[in-house]
Amino acid sequence: MAASPMEQFEVKPLIPIHVGGYDISFTNQALWMCVVVGAVSLFMAVALSKRSVVPTRMQSMAEMSYEFVANMINMAAGEEGLKFFPLIFSIFLFIAASNFFGLIPGSFTVTSQIAVTFTLTALVIITVIVTGFIRHGFGFFRLFAPDAPIYILLFLVPLEVISFCARPMSLSMRLFANMLAGHTMLKVMAGFVIALGGAGGAYTLLAAAPEVLIVGLTALEFLVAFLQAYVFAILSCIYLSEALHLHDNH
Amino acid sequence: MDMIHAAKFIGAGLATIAFVGSGIGIGVVFGNYISGALRNPGAAQSQFTNLYIGYALCELQGLFGLLIALILMYT
């Protein structure tokens, strides 16, 4: 019997460290986060070490990712949103890289842990709230009251408050559940291959069918990995834009 | 005790019905985007962001179902 499909998400301590009753062990989760951050930093450092007017392949990759995120922020949050470029760019690259690293067989998907995705979301939401209060003071609460007649506001304000409070949950849950569902699906399909292959006789030939399906699903997972990083970044931009412009601009 | 376990698994299975709505929603989003893009290809690029926001919001509703299924199965 193959291992459970959920086994890949287990956080295992690699170097046990206990300080004052708290377990702060260096886990496989921490290891892969270090790998992701290291790989992204290394890529950026190497790609931009020799800056030339006619870019090399690596330099143009780095420039493309920069322009992609800059365009996205400009479109969703306007000129003012570009102040938050470092935040959005780091979040986008971190999520995209950890999603792609998670697709390496045998690796650990950092973003499949709700602790990680919720921390990233908390970072974005706290930035949104702090930015809103710095720019508008208590006028930030106008976010919950768009221009509408008073009898519509009675219904609209509770709805806006609920939707604002649901954002951290929906943003973190989307990334976490997408990664969890995709990787579980791949493992379940892999379990089919092993079970059919071990069954013997004509069943062994049938094992090719889920095998082919896995190849297709892996391609789909690459799309999802990029798409989720994109969606996370663009939604962060939109939330920031609402904090910057309230309901005026858009 | 066995009854509770059985009911949990049935509930987890039922929770996956959420993906029906998610599938319909994503179909509507992409279908309407493509029909709009074919009528006015010039405006298609500018609506790309909205397309993926709509997609993400639809998908989330299905994923909540998955989450409920996981909570039922593993708690």
Side-chain angles (χ1 to χ4, degrees):
Chain A
M1 188 58 209
S4 151
M6 303 308 270
E7 195 211 352
Q8 56 180 327
F9 303 116
E10 249 172 59
V11 177
K12 300 185 203 80
L14 298 178
I15 306 166
I17 306 168
H18 294 273
V19 177
Y22 291 102
D23 188 359
I24 52 164
S25 309
F26 189 79
T27 56
N28 52 353
Q29 152 98 7
L31 174 71
W32 279 98
M33 277 172 104
C34 291
V35 168
V36 167
V37 172
V40 172
S41 314
L42 194 72
F43 169 70
M44 280 293 163
V46 170
L48 300 177
S49 59
K50 279 200 300 265
R51 291 180 295 275
S52 51
V53 180
V54 181
T56 58
R57 273 179 225 164
M58 271 184 97
Q59 192 189 336
S60 65
M61 265 176 82
E63 281 175 2
M64 262 163 61
S65 59
Y66 180 98
E67 271 167 19
F68 180 73
V69 177
N71 277 338
M72 181 170 78
I73 297 173
N74 211 347
M75 217 158 62
E79 283 285 313
E80 279 175 292
L82 285 175
K83 268 188 298 186
F84 297 96
F85 179 82
L87 174 74
I88 305 287
F89 191 56
S90 333
I91 285 181
F92 174 76
L93 276 190
F94 177 73
I95 293 175
S98 47
N99 286 353
F100 284 131
F101 270 95
L103 282 169
I104 300 170
S107 76
F108 183 86
T109 321
V110 178
T111 39
S112 70
Q113 300 295 322
I114 196 146
V116 174
T117 60
F118 194 79
T119 312
L120 289 171
T121 310
L123 198 67
V124 171
I125 297 293
I126 290 170
T127 312
V128 166
I129 294 173
V130 170
T131 313
F133 274 114
I134 286 174
R135 269 190 72 99
H136 304 285
F138 282 101
F140 181 54
F141 288 111
R142 269 190 295 142
L143 182 68
F144 301 123
D147 283 333
I150 186 77
Y151 46 88
I152 293 179
L153 275 184
L154 282 178
F155 297 97
L156 216 52
V157 170
L159 270 181
E160 290 274 344
V161 171
I162 291 171
S163 103
F164 190 83
C165 294
R167 274 175 192 176
M169 198 179 78
S170 72
L171 199 58
S172 58
M173 218 63 100
R174 178 179 298 114
L175 181 58
F176 152 75
N178 259 299
M179 288 299 116
L180 187 87
H183 286 256
T184 313
M185 188 163 64
L186 284 179
K187 270 288 162 69
V188 169
M189 287 291 159
F192 288 165
V193 176
I194 292 167
L196 277 172
Y203 290 113
T204 314
L205 293 174
L206 265 178
E211 179 78 53
V212 170
L213 207 59
I214 287 178
V215 176
L217 282 177
T218 310
L220 185 74
E221 280 305 302
F222 269 101
L223 176 73
V224 169
F226 175 76
L227 209 60
Q228 288 309 316
Y230 177 70
V231 163
F232 195 101
I234 194 99
L235 284 174
S236 309
C237 287
I238 287 169
Y239 298 159
L240 275 172
S241 147
E242 281 197 352
L244 287 172
H245 310 297
L246 296 183
H247 287 286
D248 315 330
N249 199 0
H250 290 268
Chain B
M1 208 54 210
D2 273 352
M3 279 295 281
I4 293 175
H5 273 292
K8 272 185 172 181
F9 280 118
I10 292 170
L14 288 176
T16 57
I17 294 175
F19 282 103
V20 173
S22 173
I24 294 171
I26 294 172
V28 168
V29 168
F30 276 94
N32 282 338
Y33 172 75
I34 288 172
S35 67
L38 286 175
R39 281 169 202 219
N40 187 358
Q45 202 64 41
S46 64
Q47 297 308 309
F48 215 63
T49 317
N50 289 343
L51 169 71
Y52 280 111
I53 292 168
Y55 158 79
L57 294 179
C58 282
E59 194 187 30
L60 186 68
Q61 311 309 318
L63 292 174
F64 280 143
L66 172 80
L67 213 69
I68 292 168
L70 287 176
I71 290 169
L72 282 173
M73 279 179 75
Y74 291 103
T75 51

